[in-house]
Amino acid sequence: MKNLSAKGKAQRLMRIFQRTGGEDLWTHPVGSFPETVRAVLLEQVKLMPTELPVLACFENEDQWTLVTTARVVVKTGPDARSLHWGDIEDATVDSGYVSAALACDPRGKLALNRLTLVCRDGERVALFLEPGPPFFGFWNVLKSIGNSTKN
């Protein structure tokens, strides 16, 4: 994705999301959210001139994740964390968490809602996403971002 325009990156990410998951209650392409939600996201995330908002999981004003054509922005509580694509190595789930979800929830893997971004410097950033198909679509988008920036 390195050589794609911002619009090309946005289209590619949305194809991945739609093919591997899809929308539900809290997870949509940014343009599909009500104006009030878009305003909250774009007020808190100052986009660069060449950056486009692509996909978000928005539970409420204190819990959301936004993917743009240059960054992943995570808000859990009062602070938002911005990670440039080049900082992201991978997106994964903790095996202990998966085992617990499979053992305790009748929905099995469709109950998963916690993903970890692994940064190139070793930092791990937790994301809380909408469970079910949106979780898997979002996961695949984030894995694609990590793969696209590898040398």
Side-chain angles (χ1 to χ4, degrees):
M1 275 193 274
K2 289 180 183 180
N3 297 325
L4 292 176
S5 66
K7 184 176 179 181
K9 289 176 183 177
Q11 290 171 337
R12 169 112 13 114
L13 293 176
M14 285 312 305
R15 277 194 306 271
I16 292 167
F17 177 72
Q18 294 297 341
R19 191 178 68 243
T20 62
E23 300 177 48
D24 206 346
L25 297 173
W26 306 331
T27 309
H28 306 281
V30 173
S32 297
F33 278 102
E35 179 58 38
T36 54
V37 172
R38 285 195 311 268
V40 168
L41 291 170
L42 298 177
E43 178 182 296
Q44 293 188 38
V45 177
K46 304 300 182 210
L47 297 175
M48 296 178 284
T50 59
E51 182 180 23
L52 298 174
V54 180
L55 177 66
C57 177
F58 186 91
E59 185 174 345
N60 59 56
E61 289 188 23
D62 288 326
Q63 177 102 3
W64 50 263
T65 300
L66 170 69
V67 175
T68 75
T69 54
R71 297 179 283 165
V72 176
V73 184
V74 181
K75 183 160 187 199
T76 52
D79 299 318
R81 176 73 198 278
S82 180
L83 299 165
H84 289 275
W85 280 22
D87 296 335
I88 298 169
E89 174 92 13
D90 196 10
T92 188
V93 291
D94 177 63
S95 60
Y97 167 66
V98 173
S99 297
L102 292 174
C104 298
D105 196 307
R107 295 176 297 166
K109 67 181 184 178
L110 292 176
L112 298 176
N113 71 341
R114 190 172 67 212
L115 194 63
T116 301
L117 286 180
V118 180
C119 299
R120 297 201 189 288
D121 65 4
E123 182 182 7
R124 299 172 74 83
V125 178
L127 308 180
F128 295 92
L129 301 169
E130 183 173 11
F135 175 86
F136 292 99
F138 223 108
W139 187 1
N140 280 286
V141 163
L142 295 171
K143 286 190 85 56
S144 295
I145 289 170
N147 289 334
S148 74
T149 60
K150 289 182 179 171
N151 293 330

